[in-house]
């Protein structure tokens, strides 16, 4: 008859960050934030846009997005109608 003997070994690996990896990661993240800031467009708030600004925007997107341009023109018509009251 044979016997089976089992033993449990515990090994806790020590995790360490390689030298310079943290600094390199910080530089990489800072560069990413800088690039995001350079290429992020922030449109003016709607209350800051004049009716003429909206009209120019509608004209600029007339050929590329006629539905959006129509929505802008409709909003201008409502605005002009409310302003005349």
């Amino acid at each position: 008859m044979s016997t089976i003997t089992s033993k449990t070994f515990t090994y806790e690996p020590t995790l360490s960050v390689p030298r310079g990896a943290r600094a390199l990661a910080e530089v990489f993240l800072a560069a990413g934030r800088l690039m995001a800031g350079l290429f992020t467009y922030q449109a003016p708030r709607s209350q800051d846009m004049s009716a003429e600004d909206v009209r120019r925007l509608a004209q600029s997107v007339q050929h590329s997005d006629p539905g959006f341009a129509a929505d802008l023109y409709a909003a201008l018509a409502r605005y002009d109608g409310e302003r005349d009251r």
Side-chain angles (χ1 to χ4, degrees), residues 44-66:
R45 295 181 306 184
S46 60
Q47 62 210 29
D48 292 344
M49 292 183 75
S50 69
E52 188 57 38
D53 292 335
V54 175
R55 189 169 286 109
R56 271 189 254 122
L57 177 62
Q59 289 170 351
S60 70
V61 297
Q62 181 71 40
H63 298 292
S64 61
D65 194 352

Side-chain angles (χ1 to χ4, degrees), residues 12-85:
E12 294 182 26
T14 57
L15 299 176
S16 63
V17 178
R19 280 182 282 154
R22 184 166 300 198
L24 185 62
E26 290 296 326
V27 169
F28 181 75
L29 289 173
R33 283 187 215 106
L34 177 66
M35 293 298 285
L38 290 176
F39 295 106
T40 301
Y41 173 74
Q42 295 180 355
R45 295 181 306 184
S46 60
Q47 62 210 29
D48 292 344
M49 292 183 75
S50 69
E52 188 57 38
D53 292 335
V54 175
R55 189 169 286 109
R56 271 189 254 122
L57 177 62
Q59 289 170 351
S60 70
V61 297
Q62 181 71 40
H63 298 292
S64 61
D65 194 352
F68 180 57
D71 289 342
L72 290 174
Y73 285 127
L76 281 169
R78 283 193 305 272
Y79 174 76
D80 288 339
E82 290 174 4
R83 195 173 48 154
D84 292 339
R85 289 183 188 171

